Each structure stands twice: as C-alpha cells, then as structure tokens.
Amino acid sequence: MPIYNPPVRDMQFLLHDVLNLQTYSNLPGFADATPDVIDAFLEESGKWHRDVLTPLNVIGDKEGCTRMPDGSVTTPTGFKDAYQQFCENGFGSIAMDPEYGGQGLPLTLAYCVAEMTSSANQAFGMYPGLSGGAWRAIHANASDEQKQKYLPKMTTGEWTGTMNLTEPQCGTDLGLIRTKAVPQGDGSYKITGSKIWISAGEHDMSDNIIHLVLARIEGAPEGIKGISLFIVPKFMVGDDGSLGDRNAVSCGGLEEKMGIHGNATCVMNYDGATGYLVGEENKGMRAMFIMMNEARMGVGLQGLAQAEVANQNAAAFARDRLQSRALTGAKAPDKPADPIIVHPDVRRMLMDTRVFVEGARMLTFWAALQEDLSHKAEDEGTRQKASDFMALLTPIIKAYQTHKGFQGTADAMQVFGGSGYVEEWGMSQFVRDTKITMIYEGTNGIQALDLVGRKLMAEGGRYWQTFFADIDQWAKDNKGLNDDLDGQIDKMVATKAQVQEAIQWLGMNGMANPNNAGAGAHDFLHLFALMTYSYMWAMMAKVAHEKSGDSDPHYANKLITARYFFDRVLPEASVHLARVKAGADSVMALDAEAF
C-alpha cells in the first residue's frame, strides 16, 4: 500500500521563514496563528491524514460509491467515520467566518490542510472541498437570512454543499443552460432540469446537501446574461434550522470514471424542486464565479498534492530497488546491484517532480496569502493589488499545476518500471485520479485562453504590469546579497523579458488573426508559469541562503533544489516563447477532414 508523510517541515519553512505570517498579526485572524499554534496544528493534522485518511485511499478506489434503489448513495468503507473525525478536528472550518462558527484563521493554513487531504485521499477531499466553495459563494452573495439559515451547519460540516453547472448539452459554454426556474409567488422558485458530473451530489456523510444550481428564470435573456443562481437543499430547512421533507432533487445515476472512484459523481435531476434565488436575478454567473475560482485554486492544489505523494513513493522505491550498477562504479558493492536512485535518469524524474511540487506549494500558499490580503488588508491599495494578483494567477495555478502534477504522477509510475503498471503498487491510482484535474473546473486549454484573452487585457494590462513591477522591485532589493542568488535573479529577470516579448507578439499578431492567440495560449501560460515559479524559487532561495549555516538540512537541500530549477527547468521558457511566436499557420493548415 502506498505511503504518505505530510511535508510538514516544508510547510513550516514557507509559513514562518518565507511568507512570515507572523508579520500580519495586525490583520483579523492572523494574531491567533502564532508559530507554535501553527506547528502544533500541522503536526496533529499530519498524523491524522497519514494514519487515518491515507489507508482509505485504496479502499475508496476499489469499492467506489454505490447508488441504492431509492437513489441514495453509499460512500466507501470508512469514509463516513473519517468525515466525522475530519469535522470534529475542525479541518474544514479553519478559514471560515467566526460569525457562523468558523475559526477565522488565515486561508494559507487552510490550504496546508487541504493539501494533506488531497495527497492522502483526493476523492475524499472533494467532499469538504466543494462544501468550502459553496460556503464562500453563499457567504459572498446570499442574503443575511440565507447566511444564517445555511452557513452555521455548513461550517460544522453537518451539511455539505455542491455546485451544479454542467448539463448534457453544455460544459464550458454555460450560456446554453436549459434548467429553468419558475417563480412561485412566495419568494421561492420551482427548479426543473438535469445536471451532470456533479461531484458529491449525493452521499451518506452529511445530514443535508445544499446544492447551488445555475438555472434560467422564465423570460430571462438568452446566454449567460440570463442565468441566475439558486440554493436548492436536499432536505427543506425550517426557519429554526430543522430539517423537513425531502426536496424534489435526486441522483439519477453515478458516472463510471477513470479515477476518483471514492467520490460520488452524480447525474442530478431537479423535478420541480424548491429553490431560493441567491443575489440578483440574471447575475448567477457573477456569484458562481466566486465558487469556481475557489474550485480552480483547489484543483491546482490537487495537482501538486498528487505529485507530492506519488513522488514520495517513487523516491522510497528508488532507494530500495536494486538494478544495474552506477555509471561511475558500484555504490553498493556488498549487494548484487545498486539501488536505482544512483542512476541520473531516475534522479531526473524525481528532481523534476520535486522542484515542481515545492515551487507549486510556494505559489499556492503565496496566492492564498494574497486572497487573505484582498479581504483583510488595512488599505485599499494593498487589497486591490492582492485581488489583481489572484485574478491573474488563478488560471496558471489551475492549469500549470495540474499539467505538471499529472506528469509527476506518470514519472513516479515510470520510476517503478513494470511494477508501476501493476495495480498492487498503487501508482496507477495516482495517475488515474490526477488526470481529471486537467479537465474539470474549466479545462486547461480554457484556462490558457482566459489568461491570454481576458487577464492580460483586464484593466488595461494592470494585473500583469503590477505583478512585473513587484518582481522588478524584489530583484532590485535583493541583488548583491551573494553570487548564487544574483545569478538566479538574473535568470528570473531574463525570463520576465521573454514573457514581455510574448505579450508584445500576441498584442501585435493576436488582433490580426485571433488564431495566433489561440494557438499560442498553452505555451504562453507555461512561459508565464515558469517566470512566476522563478520568482517563487528566488524568494525561497534567498531565505535558504540566509539560514544556510543552520544545522537543519532543509535549507541546504532547498538551495540544491533551487539550483536544479534554475539550471534545468527554467530554460524551457525559451521553447515556449518560440512556440508562441510560431503563430497559428501550421496549427490550422490541415483541413478538418484530414485528421
């Protein structure tokens, strides 16, 4: 059975040494997140995820979920008990508003736990993960009465939540939604339609499920301008919070999937179900985007989390598996062969994934801090800048981290050789589970188009220009500290120049032929991601240099890993720039019939 040891030490390094959470103690929630509180919390969370949740991962994969004749869904053995422990430990309410029973701690700490949950058991983690997104959508858009009715029990985990967007005829193009909402005269609506691929749509782990459903009110405008958002509870909720009759919403079937078997992916049927409008009529997409962006951050986290656990198992295998001799001579002369970790190509795969995971963790936690600042910072300028950074980097976190996360799990399987292709070793589950992250919550191609087509042009280019100004200022402030860091800063700045060159090329050629932007979007996103990761790695390397005399080997190892990133990963930026500038001609040249 695969192992998982939560990377608590690396999380501590980021929270205490790099992000310096203690310096934000003047902001709401941060004062309680002292280093000793954080350390104790991470240690206890790590033990629970390692000892309780990890063993359920294989069980969930093998058993899957079961739809009963009455339409109810049973989750795999152990999931329900583990969920109760998850809630009792407060793992789901870390960053939620204290007004509704949450702990109000920094979102960054919540992301630490979310990473552990996803690494230990991705399918399980989707239940509380989606609830968290639904909670935030209601918190940001619903009336005070709705918040008081639904949020407290969603905070405790007694009730869970979902998002219902996709229909058989529409996925990304939500303007094609047909689910209808008919006003009833008492403030409620009757919701009728069918939604597909609804994660955690029906299960036995909570007392109620609060569905957030996109639907079109009769007479609403066509397209996304006519979509509204509704709360549709599984069980009706009384004014006193008590549960009433079952609503007319049911699971029509479970999808047979490549992976994440432990999560109930449902066809949800709404047959005149009672729903309640959230926010304004025809403004549903604006409200749902809060949940969608939350989900995209969470999916990006899944990519790094699966790569982390897969790489842990690959490294353990590589230290034990004997095969051939090292190219430079026997390293274990007392054994019939050397462990495969001595071979450079095995090291390459392990290091590629390691530098990705550690850079992705830094970026994800840094972005979580930006989200906290966007709501809690004392001045409007800081809040706006943090919000801009979140908008700019969300498609990168979602798309790049799932692309590289999937590659990391595939490389981990490759390290195992033939054993990796055999189910008993567990590597195939990581590959199968991770693949969906590149697809749901907006495919990676859509994320790339969002970056190129929307985020670069938003507010006259303010998002990326402000981000670049921050990089420039950081480089200026930290140049001259030591030769190694200087060289890495120079490479970071050079990559930023390549991104600027790509932006200029897209600006000149994307308008003349929109296919040029479409053909270059994937590579532009990866180019932008590499520049962003170089910034993250430079910040980590600076701290590691400052603490390099410490006896803790974490700092010395971080410097070695940083060197690998700048020497062997960052040069990929030049290839991506060349592909962007190649344009769309060769991409679009073949007739459709020739494929």
Side-chain angles (χ1 to χ4, degrees), residues 141 190 240 360 364 368 393 416 428 468 483 511 518 580 585:
N141 297 285
K190 291 298 183 184
D240 61 354
T364 303
L393 296 176
F416 275 77
S428 64
F468 284 12
D483 291 342
M511 295 292 290
V580 169
D585 289 349

Side-chain angles (χ1 to χ4, degrees), residues 103-124:
Q103 301 173 58
L105 293 168
L107 189 63
T108 318
L109 189 57
Y111 270 72
C112 291
V113 175
E115 182 192 330
M116 292 182 191
T117 305
S118 187
S119 283
N121 194 322
Q122 180 178 325
F124 176 94

Side-chain angles (χ1 to χ4, degrees), residues 138-159:
I138 293 172
H139 187 264
N141 297 285
S143 67
D144 289 341
E145 180 184 357
Q146 289 172 330
K147 293 177 188 178
Q148 292 295 340
K149 177 176 281 191
Y150 298 106
L151 291 184
K153 290 193 176 180
M154 292 180 73
T155 301
T156 62
E158 294 171 78
W159 299 351

Side-chain angles (χ1 to χ4, degrees), residues 145 148-150 153 159 208 233 235-245 276:
E145 180 184 357
Q148 292 295 340
K149 177 176 281 191
Y150 298 106
K153 290 193 176 180
W159 299 351
N208 202 5
F235 290 101
M236 301 303 295
V237 180
D239 292 337
D240 61 354
S242 62
L243 297 183
D245 294 336
Y276 304 94

Side-chain angles (χ1 to χ4, degrees), residues 463-509:
Y463 295 175
W464 64 267
Q465 290 169 9
T466 305
F467 187 50
F468 284 12
D470 261 32
I471 293 175
D472 287 338
Q473 187 62 53
W474 189 92
K476 180 180 178 182
D477 291 344
N478 292 282
K479 197 73 184 293
L481 297 180
N482 65 70
D483 291 342
D484 287 343
L485 184 61
D486 280 357
Q488 292 168 353
I489 290 174
D490 288 342
K491 291 177 181 179
M492 175 186 74
V493 173
T495 306
K496 183 179 71 69
Q498 290 179 309
V499 177
Q500 290 174 303
E501 184 178 347
I503 292 173
Q504 183 178 16
W505 190 93
L506 288 169
M508 295 175 61
N509 295 276

Side-chain angles (χ1 to χ4, degrees), residues 167-487:
E167 299 181 6
Q169 78 285 350
C170 70
T172 300
D173 190 356
L174 293 173
L176 301 176
I177 281 176
R178 295 175 185 164
T179 298
K180 65 179 181 180
V182 180
Q184 297 302 293
D186 62 354
S188 69
Y189 293 76
K190 291 298 183 184
I191 310 297
T192 301
S194 182
K195 300 288 185 175
I196 62 172
W197 305 337
I198 307 306
S199 300
E202 173 66 27
H203 57 82
D204 59 354
M205 300 201 303
S206 64
D207 297 334
N208 202 5
I209 302 176
I210 310 304
H211 300 288
L212 290 183
V213 183
L214 289 181
R216 193 182 304 279
I217 299 173
E218 286 186 318
E222 294 297 318
I224 61 173
K225 294 182 178 180
I227 295 174
S228 299
L229 180 64
F230 298 87
I231 290 175
V232 185
K234 174 181 175 180
F235 290 101
M236 301 303 295
V237 180
D239 292 337
D240 61 354
S242 62
L243 297 183
D245 294 336
R246 175 73 185 251
N247 205 351
V249 53
S250 61
C251 171
L254 292 176
E255 304 289 357
E256 295 290 334
K257 309 184 298 290
M258 173 181 173
I260 54 170
H261 296 153
N263 192 266
T265 306
C266 304
V267 176
M268 299 301 297
N269 296 324
Y270 295 85
D271 301 306
T274 300
Y276 304 94
L277 181 67
V278 177
E280 301 178 45
E281 289 187 8
N282 307 325
K283 302 295 185 183
M285 285 303 300
R286 180 185 303 172
M288 185 59 90
F289 263 122
I290 293 174
M291 186 171 183
M292 291 169 67
N293 284 333
E294 170 87 9
R296 286 167 181 167
M297 285 285 291
V299 172
L301 188 70
Q302 289 176 345
L304 84 89
Q306 289 295 288
E308 166 70 43
V309 64
N311 205 49
Q312 283 188 21
N313 283 272
F317 182 87
R319 287 191 293 266
D320 291 339
R321 172 67 169 172
L322 302 180
Q323 195 76 40
S324 304
R325 289 296 186 187
L327 298 176
T328 55
K331 303 302 180 185
D334 57 324
K335 297 179 180 179
D338 289 329
I340 63 173
I341 201 166
V342 305
H343 303 307
D345 194 58
V346 172
R347 290 287 191 111
R348 174 189 60 82
M349 290 185 283
L350 294 174
M351 287 296 291
D352 279 351
T353 303
R354 179 173 179 142
V355 296
F356 156 66
V357 165
E358 293 183 11
R361 182 175 296 120
M362 170 63 185
L363 175 57
T364 303
F365 290 6
W366 183 85
L369 176 59
Q370 301 309 307
E371 185 167 349
D372 270 325
L373 293 176
S374 73
H375 298 295
K376 299 178 179 181
E378 294 177 336
D379 66 283
E380 175 59 28
T382 300
R383 291 195 298 272
Q384 183 63 65
K385 185 168 77 167
S387 179
D388 288 352
F389 288 171
M390 283 296 300
L392 176 68
L393 296 176
T394 294
I396 292 169
I397 290 171
K398 194 283 181 184
Y400 186 78
Q401 292 185 186
T402 59
H403 183 100
K404 289 296 185 181
F406 178 72
Q407 181 179 331
T409 61
D411 281 349
M413 175 186 276
Q414 187 74 17
V415 169
F416 275 77
S419 297
Y421 202 67
V422 177
E423 288 292 332
E424 68 180 275
W425 289 89
M427 292 300 101
S428 64
Q429 183 184 354
F430 298 134
V431 176
R432 289 185 285 104
D433 285 356
T434 309
K435 182 58 186 176
I436 187 58
T437 65
M438 302 172 69
I439 299 171
Y440 59 17
E441 305 308 336
T443 65
N444 287 359
I446 292 296
Q447 302 304 314
L449 289 173
D450 176 50
L451 177 63
V452 170
R454 296 178 59 212
K455 301 301 171 57
L456 287 184
M457 297 185 293
E459 304 296 335
R462 186 185 72 206
Y463 295 175
W464 64 267
Q465 290 169 9
T466 305
F467 187 50
F468 284 12
D470 261 32
I471 293 175
D472 287 338
Q473 187 62 53
W474 189 92
K476 180 180 178 182
D477 291 344
N478 292 282
K479 197 73 184 293
L481 297 180
N482 65 70
D483 291 342
D484 287 343
L485 184 61
D486 280 357

